[in-house]
Amino acid sequence: MNIVIFGPPGAGKGTQSKFISKTFNLHQLSTGELLRSEIKNKTNLGVKISDTINAGELVPDNIVSDLIEKFISDKIYKNKLIFDGYPRNLNQAINLDNLLKRYDQKIDIVLKLQVSLETIIKRITDRQTQEKRADDNETVAIKRFKTYEKSTEPVIEHYRKSNLLKVINGEASIVEISAEISGLIKAI
Ligand code: ADP
């Protein structure tokens, strides 16, 4: 099974993806983590994208597409992926549909974590003290939320139309959200 998990920055996608990957033996494909690791390792790509990420904007579609295709095309991960942070705009959503089709796969469920801007700002500023992500400060967090509203929200409609979308209250506790997600996945 392949899962897409959606939500604004700070919604808890990473936390819930880790839970799902352990519970259902899937692989968490976090584009944000992959991109941050390029920056940390100072690769050519990392140097190229660090300003964009730290400004809270999206890196170019072709860069992220190349990164995810490596996983989709790898037999080890066939029908075992959680897309955490992809797609982030309509072009990426169409690209994901096409890539999965090419490798004889599909999306089985799309989970959307619904969280208010107020909660997001609080969570991101708390996370900043723990994880020290360069893009986790209030100004960049608001910019990332705006990028999400403008580019990523429209993708929700794409999945609503295909009947794959499940909306979850992301304001609940981590354990409650995990339980709800478990139930939804088991019902597939
Ligand atoms: P969050 O969802 O909390 O913002 P992520 O770790 O998912 O955190 O992403 C961090 C940053 O990485 C984004 O703000 C963006 O700059 C970049 N990024 C991640 N995924 C994508 C993507 N699919 N397309 C373009 N940029 C991306």
Side-chain angles (χ1 to χ4, degrees), residues 24-161:
F24 297 94
N25 192 26
L26 302 174
H27 180 80
Q28 178 191 7
L29 204 178
S30 161
T31 46
E33 277 179 21
L34 290 173
L35 295 168
R36 276 192 293 283
S37 120
E38 297 283 336
I39 295 175
K40 197 169 149 231
N41 296 327
K42 299 197 167 61
T43 63
N44 286 341
L45 175 59
V47 171
K48 215 158 87 183
I49 61 177
S50 85
D51 285 352
T52 309
I53 291 204
N54 293 337
E57 285 159 14
L58 297 183
V59 311
D61 289 346
N62 62 324
I63 290 179
V64 199
S65 177
D66 288 349
L67 285 177
I68 65 155
E69 185 167 0
K70 287 197 190 111
F71 290 82
I72 296 174
S73 61
D74 188 331
K75 286 195 182 70
I76 295 174
Y77 302 116
K78 188 166 182 184
N79 285 319
K80 278 181 168 291
L81 290 171
I82 304 168
F83 294 94
D84 163 9
Y86 195 95
R88 262 182 151 87
N89 60 35
L90 206 50
N91 185 38
Q92 293 185 4
I94 293 163
N95 183 55
L96 180 60
D97 288 344
N98 291 336
L99 278 176
L100 287 172
K101 207 178 280 169
R102 191 178 311 153
Y103 294 98
D104 193 26
Q105 297 178 64
K106 65 177 173 55
I107 298 165
D108 296 283
I109 189 167
V110 177
L111 303 167
K112 184 196 177 198
L113 296 171
Q114 191 94 39
V115 188
S116 71
L117 177 58
E118 201 189 345
T119 304
I120 286 164
I121 291 172
K122 187 176 175 314
R123 286 188 189 167
I124 287 182
T125 42
D126 286 352
R127 184 166 74 182
Q128 192 189 21
T129 48
Q130 295 158 18
E131 291 181 22
K132 306 230 175 344
R133 264 174 59 172
D135 61 347
D136 271 353
N137 62 68
E138 190 166 335
T139 322
V140 182
I142 291 170
K143 172 70 187 160
R144 278 156 60 209
F145 184 76
K146 290 201 168 131
T147 304
Y148 172 82
E149 278 192 316
K150 181 170 163 271
S151 305
T152 312
E153 273 282 346
V155 182
I156 305 293
E157 280 315 306
H158 178 78
Y159 292 117
R160 209 188 293 278
K161 273 186 236 149

